């Protein structure tokens, strides 16, 4: 990789070196929390509630298109350049979305949403840059720490809800619209941080060359099954995360209750990275896949049970199960950079199809049927556990 320095496999993590990368990831998660999460509310006001899911669909589709392209760009020009481009694209997209929403021009707002989705296809690959900054035996720990920074960024921005509301009033708009402008500022700062970040990638004995072609990468034993686990975890998580609030609404849960469910889910996704990452380093990839599959299965089975308490348990287990499978798969993919971007594209595709089909399933046969389908889907990482290489 063009911007990677060499170091021994026994090198320790240089906190000062990776701090800009971790801070940028926290800012990016905060930007998502105050912007794209609220896109359904904005589009409902601009157009119709029937289009509430359109921004999310466009975001997922854009991420699917750009993830592979960003992966190739980072292989060619380096992580720092690729991430800087992604953060900059996100900052511009957030401003475009803000301007469109504030002016009441729906196509401009949706264009901004697409640009934000395209940016996510790039800056989500920051996790590989974090893993490459440490020896292979500690890459799960590095990935877990990055996730912890993500939850911190999300919770911090949630705590700034009142200032964002005040900004919205000052701009003659709403907090949801102002959040897009705030998100643009956060992503712009993340792009600037890339100027001071110094990437570092250890040279690990036995690691295949970084510049494998896509076809070569997917012919390596274990790569296809690893990509399948990552895409499954992402798609299943996004599907249930997106559609469980609809079930909660049908059960009479108010807005505050739904927000609490999402907060518990985010805690499961990111809050235990300090634990799951080191466990995967110690116990191996199979532990991540099997544990992730078991938790995802538990989430699907508890989701349709009566009572809001079970919904909260389901959402937390969903996040934690995703964490285990996603961290394990991401650690495995650090060996195969040529497969990383396309694998992320598969995750976006799985998410988009899952939410699209899931909404139809709920409308026609009910939420329990969707949960049952997700329970079957949750078994896929077990195949990856069976095919995994040592480590």
């Amino acid at each position: 990789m063009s911007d990677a320095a060499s170091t021994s496999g026994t090198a320790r993590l240089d906190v000062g070196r990776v701090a800009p990368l971790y801070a940028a990831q926290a800012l990016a998660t905060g930007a998502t929390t105050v912007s794209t999460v609220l896109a359904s509310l904005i589009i409902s006001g601009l157009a119709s509630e029937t289009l509430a899911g359109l921004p999310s669909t466009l975001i997922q589709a854009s991420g699917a298109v750009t993830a592979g392209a960003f992966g190739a760009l980072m292989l060619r020009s380096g992580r720092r350049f690729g991430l800087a481009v992604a953060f900059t694209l996100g900052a511009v997209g957030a401003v475009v979305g803000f301007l469109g929403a504030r002016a009441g021009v729906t196509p401009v707002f949706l264009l901004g949403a697409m640009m934000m989705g395209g940016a996510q296809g790039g800056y989500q690959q920051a996790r590989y840059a974090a893993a490459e900054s440490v020896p292979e035996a500690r890459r799960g720990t590095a990935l877990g720490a990055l996730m912890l920074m993500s939850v911190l960024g999300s919770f911090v921005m949630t705590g700034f809800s009142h200032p964002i509301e005040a900004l919205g009033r000052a701009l003659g708009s709403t907090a949801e619209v102002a959040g897009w402008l705030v998100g643009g500022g956060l992503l712009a700062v993340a792009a600037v941080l890339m100027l001071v970040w110094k990437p570092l990638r250890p040279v690990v004995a036995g690691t295949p060359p970084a510049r494998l072609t896509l076809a070569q990468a997917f012919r390596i034993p274990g790569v296809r099954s690893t990509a399948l686990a990552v895409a499954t975890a992402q798609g299943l998580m996004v599907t249930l995360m997106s559609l469980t609030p609809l079930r909660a609404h049908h059960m009479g849960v108010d807005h505050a209750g739904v927000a609490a469910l999402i907060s518990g889910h985010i805690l499961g996704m990111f809050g235990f990275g300090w634990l799951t990452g080191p466990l995967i380093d110690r116990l191996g990839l199979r532990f991540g896949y099997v544990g992730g599959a078991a938790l995802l299965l538990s989430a699907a089975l508890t989701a349709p049970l009566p009572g809001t308490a079970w919904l909260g348990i389901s959402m937390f287990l969903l996040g934690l199960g995703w964490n285990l499978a996603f961290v394990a798969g991401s650690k495995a993919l650090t060996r195969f950079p040529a497969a990383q971007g396309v694998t992320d594209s598969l995750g976006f595709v799985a998410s988009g199809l899952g939410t699209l089909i899931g909404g139809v399933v709920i409308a026609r046969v009910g939420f329990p049927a969707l949960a049952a389908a997700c329970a079957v889907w949750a078994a896929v990482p077990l195949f990856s556990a069976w095919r995994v290489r040592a480590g």
Side-chain angles (χ1 to χ4, degrees):
M1 194 168 300
S2 62
D3 61 6
S6 296
T7 188
S8 70
T10 60
R12 297 184 62 83
L13 175 63
D14 185 341
V15 176
R17 182 185 292 271
V18 299
L21 177 65
Y22 278 41
Q25 185 67 12
L27 291 170
T29 306
T32 301
T33 301
V34 298
S35 58
T36 56
V37 170
L38 305 172
S40 61
L41 299 179
I42 295 176
I43 196 67
S44 295
L46 289 176
S48 167
E49 285 192 2
T50 60
L51 298 178
L54 182 58
S56 177
T57 299
L58 292 175
I59 288 168
Q60 298 297 325
S62 298
V65 170
T66 63
F70 271 114
L73 175 64
M74 292 180 196
L75 280 178
R76 183 176 65 252
S77 302
R79 296 289 187 196
R80 179 165 58 184
F81 179 77
L83 289 173
V85 171
F87 288 131
T88 301
L89 175 62
V92 174
V95 173
V96 169
F98 163 75
L99 293 174
R102 188 166 184 264
V105 183
T106 301
V108 175
F109 172 70
L110 293 176
L111 174 62
M114 292 175 64
M115 295 173 70
M116 284 284 281
Q120 289 179 32
Y123 64 68
Q124 280 192 3
Q125 296 180 51
R127 68 188 191 274
Y128 297 122
E132 291 166 356
S133 299
V134 299
E136 186 171 0
R138 299 184 60 208
R139 288 179 176 177
T141 300
L143 289 164
L146 190 72
M147 289 189 168
L148 184 60
M149 292 301 296
S150 294
V151 75
L152 289 176
S154 178
F155 284 167
V156 166
M157 291 315 302
T158 299
F160 275 86
S161 58
H162 292 306
I164 294 173
E165 289 175 357
L167 176 62
R169 290 192 296 270
L171 295 172
S173 187
T174 65
E176 291 80 14
V177 173
W180 279 70
L181 184 61
V182 173
L186 295 176
L187 289 169
V189 174
V192 172
L193 284 173
M194 292 300 95
L195 299 178
V196 299
W197 173 51
K198 298 178 180 179
L200 174 68
R201 182 182 179 190
V203 176
V204 181
T207 299
R211 296 185 180 277
L212 291 175
T213 66
L214 179 62
Q216 290 171 332
F218 273 87
R219 282 199 296 267
I220 296 174
V223 170
R224 283 175 291 184
S225 59
T226 300
L228 186 63
V230 172
T232 294
Q234 182 72 9
L236 196 158
M237 182 274 293
V238 171
T239 298
L240 277 182
M241 176 192 69
S242 300
L243 298 176
T244 294
L246 180 60
R247 173 170 173 79
H249 176 72
H250 291 162
M251 294 172 63
V253 179
D254 60 15
H255 179 77
V258 173
L261 290 175
I262 297 298
S263 295
H265 174 65
I266 292 174
L267 179 64
M269 286 180 67
F270 301 120
F272 290 85
W274 59 271
L275 175 63
T276 57
L279 281 176
I280 290 170
D281 283 339
R282 180 181 295 270
L283 301 178
L285 300 178
R286 285 192 180 92
F287 167 77
Y289 293 143
V290 174
L295 289 171
L296 292 172
L297 172 63
S298 299
L301 293 178
T302 54
L305 296 179
T308 56
W310 283 115
L311 282 183
I313 292 171
S314 172
M315 290 292 278
F316 175 78
L317 294 175
L318 180 68
L320 191 58
W322 170 85
N323 181 299
L324 279 169
F326 198 75
V327 170
S330 297
K331 177 181 177 179
L333 283 170
T334 58
R335 300 172 178 172
F336 315 112
Q340 293 167 1
V342 174
T343 297
D344 279 10
S345 291
L346 293 175
F348 279 108
V349 170
S351 300
L353 289 177
T355 52
L356 180 63
I357 297 173
V360 175
V361 171
I362 291 176
R364 294 192 175 183
V365 291
F367 185 84
L370 172 65
C374 287
V376 175
W377 195 3
V380 171
L382 296 178
F383 175 77
S384 302
W386 174 55
R387 294 296 304 273
V388 74
R389 290 167 42 143

